[in-house]
Amino acid sequence: MDDYVVCVDSIWIRNAEIFDTEGLPDGALTDTSLLYDEYDMDDDSKWHTMEPTPFVAAVKAGSEEDACEMAASQNGYDPRCLFARKIPG
């Protein structure tokens, strides 16, 4: 049995955006109230489309397919929307 990381394939994700944090001080990232008090979170120019790869699970399995099946079963996903990568080591 090997260790696998299982994630959702980004082709099954729609309309994800990330806020551009470049230039923000570390305090704004650790104290999110600063984002609303000092920075305009509604500034559409700071939001950028992204293709996330959501983590689902880390599992021990005999193959990538088995890892996807296990993670899907544990988390309520369709295994056809997942992929697995063996953790080296």
Side-chain angles (χ1 to χ4, degrees), residues 11-84:
I11 65 168
W12 300 109
I13 306 295
R14 180 177 168 181
N15 298 334
E17 294 184 325
I18 190 167
F19 189 79
D20 181 1
T21 59
E22 187 171 335
L24 294 179
D26 290 344
L29 299 177
T30 56
D31 181 1
T32 55
S33 67
L34 290 175
L35 290 173
Y36 296 100
D37 294 340
E38 298 178 31
Y39 304 97
D40 187 2
M41 290 290 291
D42 293 326
D43 182 359
D44 284 341
S45 70
K46 289 289 218 174
W47 289 98
H48 303 284
T49 300
M50 66 176 293
E51 291 186 24
T53 306
F55 170 82
V56 175
V59 298
K60 282 194 179 296
S63 68
E64 291 178 10
E65 184 177 315
D66 290 345
C68 289
E69 291 285 342
M70 291 173 64
S73 172
Q74 294 169 359
N75 294 282
Y77 290 103
D78 184 329
R80 298 172 298 175
C81 297
L82 306 178
F83 69 90

